[in-house]
Amino acid sequence: MERAAGLRPDKSWSRRFSRIFSRDKDSPGDAEVPREVSLSLEDRARQGVASQHGRAGAYLLAVASGKGGTGKSFLATNLGVALCSRGRRVTLVDCDFGMANDHLLMGVNPARSIQHFFAGSEDLADVVTRTPYGPDLLPGGSGISRLGDLTEVELLQFAQGLSSIADDSDIMLMDSAAGISPQSILTLLSAEHVLVVTNPEIAALTDAYALIKCLSSHPGHPRISIVVNRVASDGQGWATFQKLSDVARRFSHCEIHYLGAISEEPAVTHQRLNQPPLVISHPTCQASRAIQGIRDRLDLLVGSVESRSAPAQQAIEQRFKEILGHHHLRH
């Protein structure tokens, strides 16, 4: 795949940012969202669900990370379940097309995957799988390298496929592939809100900034919020966010927003396959409460999902076309 211009960040800033990220910040507790963040979400809620693209309908929310191993899929699956518990109709889309694992975390063994859609043997609606925990799942492929290198035509086919199922969902929750490949970035740019998951370690923060830099370099980029996973103490999430926010503001002129932190605790560490998502198996543990808090802050942003000013399918397909029109991949 040809690399789209502007999608690969330069490496000259990595050592400098390591020094910046290592500086300490004042750390208020993570239990309360900072007032300025809370107010901005409330203001958006009062404005309704109209997105920056001027429409309402199936809300495209993407969960992303700069590197693997941050807990991105853990958050995406648990957040999907938590949103369903509030009455949202959620379709979880595993956008790691070649290395998918959301089906394992959701306790299903689907007979069909996104591979069958791209092979032309199934419509996307026929690939969608029910899960026992609330969200529907659009499963990605596993161990199929070609799916990580889709053409522009195939991505447009994917957008059209999403259009066919958009009106059956209030929220389409895209669990994107980790990193900054052109395919991943282009998919994220089609979302309305990107939730970046990172850890307090300097390497994870540097990779998170690389992702933020790629996204923020494009006019009209989605709103970007941060969740800090695997924090060890009260206040570490906010301190980590402050370091990342300062770098994003200084070097990319990008404002990012804090949605909360998830603690490292035994209930998460000991989670195994074939177990329900954490918000179901351990609903009162600290990590589950943190995920529920993140859901509640997102509710302020998403607003009333019943209000639809335009058919959802028109908006999803149009966004993909606009993004792909600016960044040509191979045909």
Side-chain angles (χ1 to χ4, degrees):
M1 179 184 294
E2 296 177 2
R3 300 293 177 180
L7 295 183
R8 181 182 294 278
D10 62 86
K11 299 179 180 178
S12 62
W13 40 262
S14 59
R15 182 174 300 176
R16 180 173 43 181
F17 288 160
S18 293
R19 293 196 298 269
I20 295 171
F21 285 141
S22 65
R23 298 171 186 167
D24 291 330
K25 289 282 183 180
D26 293 334
S27 306
D30 289 320
E32 182 177 352
V33 181
R35 178 173 174 79
E36 63 271 22
V37 176
S38 178
L39 285 176
S40 70
L41 292 177
E42 290 171 0
D43 289 343
R44 287 291 297 271
R46 282 192 289 267
Q47 294 170 7
V49 288
S51 73
Q52 50 191 283
H53 297 278
R55 42 74 63 184
Y59 191 88
L60 260 69
L61 172 66
V63 182
S65 64
K67 64 186 290 292
T70 62
K72 171 182 61 63
S73 293
F74 163 79
L75 177 62
T77 52
N78 277 277
L79 182 59
V81 174
L83 287 164
C84 278
S85 73
R86 284 290 175 87
R88 302 295 196 263
R89 298 175 301 165
V90 177
T91 298
L92 177 63
V93 183
D94 196 336
C95 291
D96 195 345
F97 297 138
M99 297 289 288
N101 63 6
D102 284 353
H103 62 288
L104 301 175
L105 300 175
M106 294 299 291
V108 294
N109 184 22
R112 295 178 293 271
S113 74
I114 196 75
Q115 176 188 4
H116 295 86
F117 168 74
F118 286 119
S121 62
E122 299 285 353
D123 291 335
L124 205 63
D126 296 325
V127 178
V128 174
T129 301
R130 300 286 183 185
T131 77
Y133 307 119
D136 288 342
L137 173 66
L138 181 57
S142 182
I144 307 167
S145 60
R146 194 194 77 76
L147 294 182
D149 191 26
L150 298 175
T151 66
E152 178 177 329
V153 171
E154 288 171 321
L155 285 173
L156 282 174
Q157 290 173 341
F158 175 62
Q160 292 165 357
L162 287 181
S163 299
S164 70
I165 60 177
D167 283 334
D168 292 328
S169 302
D170 297 316
I171 299 171
M172 303 197 79
L173 181 58
M174 299 192 295
D175 182 7
S176 72
I180 55 172
S181 70
Q183 181 171 306
S184 179
I185 293 296
L186 291 169
T187 302
L188 291 173
L189 287 171
S190 71
E192 301 175 66
H193 188 177
V194 175
L195 201 165
V196 176
V197 184
T198 189
N199 300 150
E201 292 80 11
I202 291 175
L205 285 171
T206 302
D207 289 338
Y209 174 71
L211 175 59
I212 292 167
K213 180 180 179 182
C214 286
L215 293 174
S216 64
S217 66
H218 301 283
H221 64 80
R223 184 185 182 96
I224 301 172
S225 294
I226 305 297
V227 168
V228 185
N229 192 24
R230 296 174 180 155
V231 299
S233 61
D234 290 344
Q236 189 179 31
W238 173 245
T240 299
F241 166 77
Q242 282 285 75
K243 295 172 185 177
L244 185 57
S245 178
D246 286 350
V247 172
R249 186 181 302 111
R250 289 171 58 188
F251 296 99
S252 292
H253 309 290
C254 176
E255 292 293 332
I256 59 178
H257 309 276
Y258 182 61
L259 280 182
I262 304 170
S263 63
E264 184 75 88
E265 59 174 303
V268 178
T269 305
H270 297 155
Q271 192 78 2
R272 296 290 183 264
L273 294 179
N274 300 320
Q275 288 185 337
L278 191 74
V279 293
I280 291 179
S281 64
H282 297 78
T284 61
C285 75
Q286 189 172 355
S288 289
R289 291 198 301 270
I291 293 168
Q292 292 157 4
I294 291 165
R295 172 205 58 198
D296 293 344
R297 291 162 202 145
L298 281 170
D299 272 348
L300 289 174
L301 177 64
V302 174
S304 173
V305 295
E306 304 304 323
S307 175
R308 296 173 182 268
S309 62
Q313 65 269 24
Q314 294 180 9
I316 292 174
E317 188 172 343
Q318 184 60 32
R319 270 200 303 282
F320 269 82
K321 287 180 178 179
E322 290 173 358
I323 297 302
L324 287 169
H326 287 90
H327 306 287
H328 293 290
L329 305 180
R330 62 179 176 82
H331 294 274

